[in-house]
Amino acid sequence: MPSYDPRGVVLALDGDRWIGMAATSDRRGSGFVFNEMTGVRVGHRGRGISVAMKTFGIGFAGICGVSTVRTVHHPANDRAIAMNRTLGYVDADW
C-alpha cells in the first residue's frame, strides 16, 4: 500500500507481549497523515497507552512535513471520541 510507512506504526509492549498498536499512514500528497487505527488490549486500557501511541502518530506528521492529522471513529465509541478531543482533534468535513 503506497501510504504505508513503518515509521508510522507504534507497538505497546508488556514484556514481550503486544498490548497495543497504532498505525498512521502517510497521505502527505493530500496534505495530511491519517491515523488508521489505535487499539489496546482490554486488560491494559485506562492507563494512557492509547494516548501515548496516538501522540507518537501525531509526531509522524512532522516526519512527513505536514501539520494535519486525520482520523475517524465509530460515533458510539465515546472513549475514542473523548481521547481524540483531548488530543485536539475536531470534526471536519472532508
Side-chain angles (χ1 to χ4, degrees), residues 33-37 54 69-73 84 89 94:
V33 296
F34 185 79
N35 178 251
E36 300 285 347
M37 64 83 58
K54 203 151 190 172
V69 182
R70 296 189 172 193
T71 193
V72 295
H73 48 253
N84 287 337
Y89 286 86
W94 56 284

Side-chain angles (χ1 to χ4, degrees), residues 74-84:
H74 190 281
N77 190 340
D78 294 334
R79 291 180 80 174
I81 293 167
M83 174 182 58
N84 287 337

Side-chain angles (χ1 to χ4, degrees), residues 20-62:
M21 182 183 126
T24 306
S25 61
D26 180 353
R27 310 275 178 103
R28 75 180 95 181
S30 297
F32 62 92
V33 296
F34 185 79
N35 178 251
E36 300 285 347
M37 64 83 58
T38 303
V40 175
R41 289 184 182 266
V42 172
H44 292 82
R45 292 180 185 164
R47 301 180 191 181
I49 296 166
S50 60
V51 172
M53 291 189 306
K54 203 151 190 172
T55 299
F56 181 90
I58 292 169
F60 180 63

